[in-house]
């Protein structure tokens, strides 16, 4: 049972480049989320999904897009990378409201 | 505004020296309060969920408690392997699964 799998683990981008962070879960969870973690700021919600075909914005959505075509996958797209998007990104999934979230191992992204 | 504040930011203990971490929160309609452990370079790992004031949960050397305004994570006779960052998060009421996190407490347990 792999849980939540994120790829890549590390990535360096140049300003203006685009890329997709992949997230897949094999637990048949309906709810999935993307967070970013920055020093001194805690984890902040970027986008979330309550099921296939349904997504919504979190606290810090600007510069990111998401889609949820299947229950298993929830990719995060950076449209035009900026240095302010240098961060560690975590994907999480939950089976339902009020239940614990399972996190991936994270993607460390540096934008130069 | 929903908010979570953790204290202290960092805590250094000797092995066997018990202590508590604090998580104070303001939230509209608490659905649940969660404690996570995070090791360097890893994703948060779930520890406990608390749902209502007065609730307590235990796991090995850890015990989490909840009041209407704060939660405590008590660590009894810690060992060096308990060294990690401990994160507190709340889930407000409503139809989303969003979590609001505190900034964490970095715990170092020295042998």
């Amino acid at each position: 049972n792999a849980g939540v799998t994120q790829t890549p683990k590390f990535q360096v981008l140049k300003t203006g480049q685009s890329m997709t962070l992949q997230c897949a879960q094999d637990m048949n969870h309906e709810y999935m989320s993307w967070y970013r973690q920055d020093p001194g700021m805690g984890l902040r919600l970027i986008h979330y999904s309550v099921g296939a075909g349904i997504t919504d914005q979190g606290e810090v959505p600007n510069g990111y897009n998401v889609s949820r075509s299947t229950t298993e996958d929830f990719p995060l797209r950076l449209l035009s990378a900026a240095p302010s998007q240098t961060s560690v990104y975590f994907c999480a999934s939950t089976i339902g409201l009020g239940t614990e979230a399972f996190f991936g191992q994270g993607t460390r992204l540096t934008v130069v | 505004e929903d908010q979570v504040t953790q204290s202290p930011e960092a805590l250094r203990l000797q092995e066997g020296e018990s202590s508590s971490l604090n998580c104070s929160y303001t939230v509209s309609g608490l659905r649940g309060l969660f404690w996570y452990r995070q090791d360097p370079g890893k994703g948060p790992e779930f520890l406990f969920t608390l749902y209502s004031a007065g609730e307590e949960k235990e796991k090995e050397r850890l015990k989490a408690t909840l009041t209407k305004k704060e939660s405590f994570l008590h660590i009894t006779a810690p060992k060096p392997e308990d060294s990690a960052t401990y994160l507190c998060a709340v889930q407000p009421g409503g139809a989303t699964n969003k979590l609001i996190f505190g900034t964490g407490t970095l715990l170092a347990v020295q042998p």
Side-chain angles (χ1 to χ4, degrees):
Chain A
N1 190 343
V4 179
T5 303
Q6 291 184 236
T7 55
K9 287 187 168 54
F10 301 95
Q11 183 70 49
V12 179
L13 287 179
K14 293 182 179 179
T15 298
Q17 287 185 318
S18 62
M19 79 159 294
T20 299
L21 279 62
Q22 302 291 344
C23 175
Q25 53 94 5
D26 61 0
M27 297 173 284
N28 202 32
H29 287 175
E30 286 296 323
Y31 298 86
M32 295 185 75
S33 307
W34 277 102
Y35 292 85
R36 60 178 288 174
Q37 187 173 38
D38 302 291
M41 299 195 73
L43 286 119
R44 292 179 293 167
L45 182 64
I46 304 171
H47 285 286
Y48 65 94
S49 171
V50 299
I54 307 170
T55 65
D56 206 344
Q57 296 181 351
E59 180 186 357
V60 287
N62 292 341
Y64 308 96
N65 269 359
V66 292
S67 60
R68 183 100 180 270
S69 57
T70 67
T71 299
E72 293 79 19
D73 299 300
F74 190 42
L76 178 71
R77 282 182 288 278
L78 278 71
L79 308 174
S80 177
S84 61
Q85 293 178 305
T86 294
S87 187
V88 182
Y89 292 84
F90 289 100
C91 178
S93 73
T94 58
I95 195 167
L97 296 176
T99 62
E100 68 269 25
F102 293 83
F103 285 83
Q105 292 294 292
T107 295
R108 183 173 294 274
L109 175 69
T110 302
V111 182
V112 297
Chain B
E1 181 185 353
D2 299 331
Q3 193 169 353
V4 176
T5 303
Q6 290 188 248
S7 62
E9 289 186 12
L11 181 62
R12 189 184 299 271
L13 299 174
Q14 291 296 123
E15 184 171 3
E17 180 187 2
S18 301
S19 188
S20 297
L21 313 182
N22 177 262
C23 170
S24 62
Y25 65 90
T26 55
V27 67
S28 51
L30 179 70
R31 185 183 297 280
L33 184 142
F34 301 83
W35 282 98
Y36 287 87
R37 169 190 171 127
Q38 187 175 25
D39 293 300
K42 301 287 182 66
E45 178 184 345
F46 170 74
L47 293 173
F48 302 109
T49 309
L50 301 167
Y51 294 106
S52 58
E55 191 175 358
E56 300 182 352
K57 289 195 177 170
E58 284 188 72
K59 179 181 178 181
E60 296 181 356
R61 295 176 293 282
L62 301 177
K63 179 180 176 180
T65 63
L66 181 65
T67 73
K68 288 187 178 179
K69 293 185 177 181
E70 57 190 350
S71 176
F72 291 94
L73 185 65
H74 306 278
I75 304 176
T76 302
K79 297 182 178 182
E81 53 261 43
D82 294 321
S83 298
T85 296
Y86 290 85
L87 302 173
C88 173
V90 297
Q91 185 170 91
T96 76
N97 60 320
K98 69 176 182 179
L99 293 171
I100 299 164
F101 280 86
T103 52
T105 294
L106 176 60
L107 175 66
V109 182
Q110 295 182 312

